[in-house]
Amino acid sequence: MKLILLGPPGAGKGTQADYLQKKLGICKLSTGDMLRAAVASGSAIGLKAKDIMAKGQLVSDDIMITLIRERIDQSDCKPGFILDGFPRTLTQAEALDATLSVLGKHLDRVIELQVDDKKLIERITGRFSCAKCGAGYHDLFKQPKQAGICDQCGHTTFSRRDDDKAETVIKRLEAYHRQTAPLLPYYRQKSVLSSVDGMADIAEVTRQINRALELDKKIMENG
Ligand code: AP5
Ligand code: MG
């Protein structure tokens, strides 16, 4: 299955991509995570992306398209992939279509997570993650089961993203509305867009996505 999770900053793309990756066993391509890893490693791409990300702007289409093209072509993505954070511009969407067409593949579905801007700011400013394995949490909505201990790896140190300050979040939202929202009519016209209520709680959003992908039945069958 080849999927895109589309939505504004804090909509829950990463949260739902993690779930889908576990359920479907296909690779998850989170461009924000890939860029943060590049920044942390000090690579050439990381050096170019660092200041742009800190300002809440979009990294250039050329960099992003190259990054995704190389990744989609690797063997672990052959059975399918979940794109989280890509495409973010019409140029990126068209490049993805061209890449898939060369590979003889097509997109199965684009899932839009709909959330109000006010709610997004609350979500992003409360977000933190495990400093070791990256598992995501929230001060109000998703605390670790045991306070201070990561559910997934047992680590006890957590971190917050540099671009999660309220003033940067506003810039990221502006970039979404100006540059990424035009992808909604683009995918609607191709009849691959499903919209879910991203304001609902995490489990309900997952159920709505499963319904959009017709996964509920398969998951019950496979356990
Ligand atoms: P990226 O890392 O992709 O950030 P983003 O799109 O701004 O989205 P977030 O990761 O902030 O939110 P999310 O939708 O994943 O939500 P999450 O699940 O964490 O990109 C960062 C930067 O990289 C960009 O600004 C840009 O500079 C650059 N970049 C990346 N891709 C690019 C591209 N293609 N082109 C150009 N530049 C690019 O959830 C948020 C919080 O809410 C969590 O704490 C979670 O626990 C909680 N939560 C989730 N769902 C719910 C729910 N239903 N109810 C309550 N709480 C919830
Ligand atoms: Mg994310």
Side-chain angles (χ1 to χ4, degrees):
M1 189 171 309
K2 289 161 289 302
L3 299 177
I4 294 175
L5 292 179
L6 191 60
K13 302 182 295 295
T15 303
Q16 299 298 334
D18 285 345
Y19 162 80
L20 287 167
Q21 180 186 30
K22 282 183 201 132
K23 277 294 171 201
L24 299 172
I26 55 178
C27 68
K28 177 189 75 158
L29 305 180
S30 295
T31 42
D33 290 348
M34 292 158 81
L35 289 170
R36 281 183 287 281
V39 170
S41 74
S43 70
I45 287 181
L47 292 175
K48 282 186 191 154
K50 189 173 187 227
D51 289 346
I52 299 170
M53 292 171 77
K55 285 185 202 152
Q57 297 168 353
L58 296 189
V59 174
S60 78
D61 286 335
D62 286 353
I63 290 179
M64 300 314 301
I65 291 165
T66 307
L67 206 65
I68 283 296
R69 259 195 201 135
E70 286 173 359
R71 198 57 194 86
I72 282 179
D73 210 19
Q74 288 172 14
S75 58
D76 62 328
C77 289
K78 295 274 184 270
F81 51 78
I82 304 149
L83 285 167
D84 155 20
F86 184 95
R88 259 173 150 104
T89 63
L90 279 171
T91 304
Q92 292 180 17
E94 285 162 2
L96 176 65
D97 284 346
T99 301
L100 290 176
S101 156
V102 167
L103 296 171
K105 296 178 176 177
H106 66 275
L107 274 176
D108 292 294
R109 195 122 295 269
V110 178
I111 305 275
E112 180 205 3
L113 301 171
Q114 294 179 323
V115 185
D116 293 350
D117 283 7
K118 191 166 159 266
K119 178 61 95 185
L120 295 170
I121 293 172
E122 178 185 63
R123 281 199 192 161
I124 294 179
T125 51
R127 170 172 55 189
F128 61 99
S129 61
C130 172
K132 189 172 175 204
C133 74
Y137 299 98
H138 193 277
D139 292 328
L140 303 175
F141 310 124
K142 194 184 169 203
Q143 285 277 357
K145 290 187 184 93
Q146 265 186 282
I149 301 176
C150 176
D151 296 346
Q152 285 191 27
C153 74
H155 197 67
T156 53
T157 317
F158 296 86
S159 61
R160 289 179 193 260
R161 272 169 48 177
D162 287 344
D163 61 347
D164 277 354
K165 298 178 197 86
E167 64 271 23
T168 315
V169 175
I170 289 165
K171 299 277 180 224
R172 286 162 56 197
L173 281 171
E174 283 169 8
Y176 176 80
H177 290 301
R178 196 175 62 252
Q179 292 168 277
T180 309
L183 297 186
L184 297 170
Y186 178 82
Y187 285 122
R188 191 172 295 119
Q189 208 209 353
K190 290 175 180 288
S191 303
V192 288
L193 184 72
S194 296
S195 299
V196 304
D197 176 15
M199 302 282 285
D201 65 35
I202 293 174
E204 172 56 22
V205 177
T206 302
R207 276 192 289 276
Q208 289 188 27
I209 293 175
N210 285 345
R211 274 199 291 277
L213 300 178
E214 297 176 345
L215 280 181
D216 278 340
K217 200 164 153 263
K218 285 184 198 153
I219 287 166
M220 279 190 282
E221 281 166 7
N222 300 333

